[in-house]
Amino acid sequence: MSTPNGPPLPLHDAPPGARQELAVVLPVRLPGVPDWAEGPFPFELGSRRTDTATRSTYFTPASARALYGVPGRPRRWHQPLDVKQDGMRLLGVELLCASTTVGAEQGLAILHFTVEDPLLPVLRALSGRPGDRTDPLSGRFDPARLLEGVAELPGDRSPFAITRPYPIAFMSPTAAHRSALRAGPDDRVPASADQWLWQLASRSTAEDFPVPPECTDDLLKDVVRISADWSALVLRQGAAFLGHRADTGEGDFYGFAALHFRTVYLDALLLGMLQRDHIDVLTDQLSEVFDATGLAGRVAALERNIAVFRSTYWRQHLTAHGPANDLLLAFQRQHRLPERFAEILAEAADYSRLVQTRESQQISGALGVLTILGLPLGTALGVLQVLDDKSMAHLFIALGASVAATAGALTTRYGRLVLAALRGGDN
């Protein structure tokens, strides 16, 4: 990526960071309840253990239920592992139930790695970009192998929005990564640091994706300054966290930062993915409203699905801790979720008004038919009653005459309008 301040920064040639953590999210199918331990992966730092109870304190109750479930109905499971391959170490795997109204078996798998080699080549390989490094999710890290008997990878007709694994990377710099560091505690983050952040989040180099300098500010407008020590950037196909102070090693704040990256901040992005998948489903359901008969039933089901989504998943404030909210909002902006959901609400309201209009027309039509049928018949019977005529022949003649009068009335323009309203159609 180039900027007006200098030539492209060859991040792919930079040495590894002091700490390099990587979470890879990919869609799966959950044919049954996994026999793994319930709850999110309980990472530990000192005496702190980030299990379900600890993480739930960071989120609103509704958000915690969406991410972890409730006692007796969990939505999250984990399996500790220790697998090494090609400069990477797999610490464990998590599964999150991501079921929707059209995909009860949908789920998300989260693979937790530490990376010893330079981080950007790993991310580029995950995105399928050409290079010397093989796909990190192969061999011993093949998801199909890791999840065998527990979850399945979706096929080509997957309803998921994720087409490739979604990497979320964390890197704390050493003193050698001068381009990522603040010159001092009170100095601003250099433009070169945001170049690094962009490349990590976009999984690309300047050669992969040359960005015009005129677009730089717009692309970096969603950078989240978590603190003076580190920043984050969320994009459509990846996210990254980068430190701006040299990591001093054991006992440094970056240990706590890495813990938050793997837990609270990861969960904020996972909630955004759940929201995106549900909005995709609602959009598809809107497009199919007129594909079959039973419009009223389809609209009623759609309104119920919207209400369930709104009460269960749709949150723009999920915690009192600002950075997690900022990350969720950044994810939503990248996928235009607020605008898309507003469009869904507006379109569903239009369909609801259409159904109400048709029902009103049908009720009016039914009343019109009763009027057309009742007036001739009531008149004929009234005449017979006034004349005190009890002849059955005269009664049948009166009935026949009323039927003929009704049939004649239905052939008029008013009668056709009444019948059309009763059918719910136009005339």
Side-chain angles (χ1 to χ4, degrees), residues 79-99:
Q79 175 72 21
L81 296 170
D82 189 0
V83 183
K84 297 180 180 180
Q85 175 180 280
D86 298 335
M88 298 174 62
R89 178 187 176 193
L90 177 63
L91 304 179
V93 181
E94 293 185 76
L95 291 171
L96 171 62
C97 176
S99 60

Side-chain angles (χ1 to χ4, degrees), residues 142-336:
D142 184 351
R145 177 178 179 179
L146 295 170
L147 302 172
E148 185 176 4
V150 179
E152 303 169 357
L153 298 181
D156 295 336
R157 296 185 178 181
S158 167
F160 293 92
I162 300 177
T163 56
R164 296 199 64 85
Y166 188 96
I168 309 171
F170 170 88
M171 174 181 166
S172 65
T174 66
H177 299 91
R178 290 177 297 173
S179 297
L181 306 179
R182 293 181 187 270
D186 298 328
D187 292 306
R188 299 178 66 87
V189 173
S192 56
D194 285 343
Q195 292 178 39
W196 282 35
L197 190 59
W198 164 262
Q199 291 185 31
L200 291 172
S202 66
R203 311 159 303 166
S204 63
T205 63
E207 291 75 20
D208 296 325
F209 190 79
V211 179
E214 297 85 357
C215 299
T216 301
D217 291 341
D218 185 60
L219 293 172
L220 296 175
K221 68 179 185 302
D222 283 335
V223 171
V224 178
R225 304 297 182 193
I226 301 175
S227 73
D229 284 338
W230 58 322
S231 301
L233 177 61
V234 179
L235 300 178
R236 290 182 61 86
Q237 298 298 330
F241 295 73
L242 178 65
H244 304 306
R245 172 182 57 77
D247 192 335
T248 59
E250 188 70 26
D252 192 282
F253 160 79
Y254 282 122
F256 182 76
L259 183 71
H260 257 49
F261 153 78
R262 287 202 182 278
T263 56
V264 178
Y265 299 157
L266 168 65
D267 287 347
L269 297 177
L270 290 176
L271 182 60
M273 295 177 193
L274 295 177
Q275 293 175 347
R276 178 200 54 205
D277 287 344
H278 279 267
I279 285 178
D280 286 346
V281 169
L282 291 174
T283 302
D284 288 341
Q285 290 176 339
L286 279 171
S287 67
E288 297 172 351
V289 163
F290 296 103
D291 288 353
T293 58
L295 177 63
R298 285 175 169 267
V299 172
L302 177 62
E303 289 178 330
R304 182 184 181 279
N305 293 339
I306 291 174
V308 171
F309 166 72
R310 199 170 194 171
S311 65
T312 307
Y313 294 101
W314 186 241
R315 295 288 180 273
Q316 292 180 289
H317 176 84
L318 54 83
T319 174
H321 299 263
N325 288 324
D326 294 339
L327 293 169
L328 175 61
L329 291 173
F331 186 93
Q332 291 177 345
R333 285 192 295 271
Q334 285 291 320
H335 293 268
R336 296 186 64 255

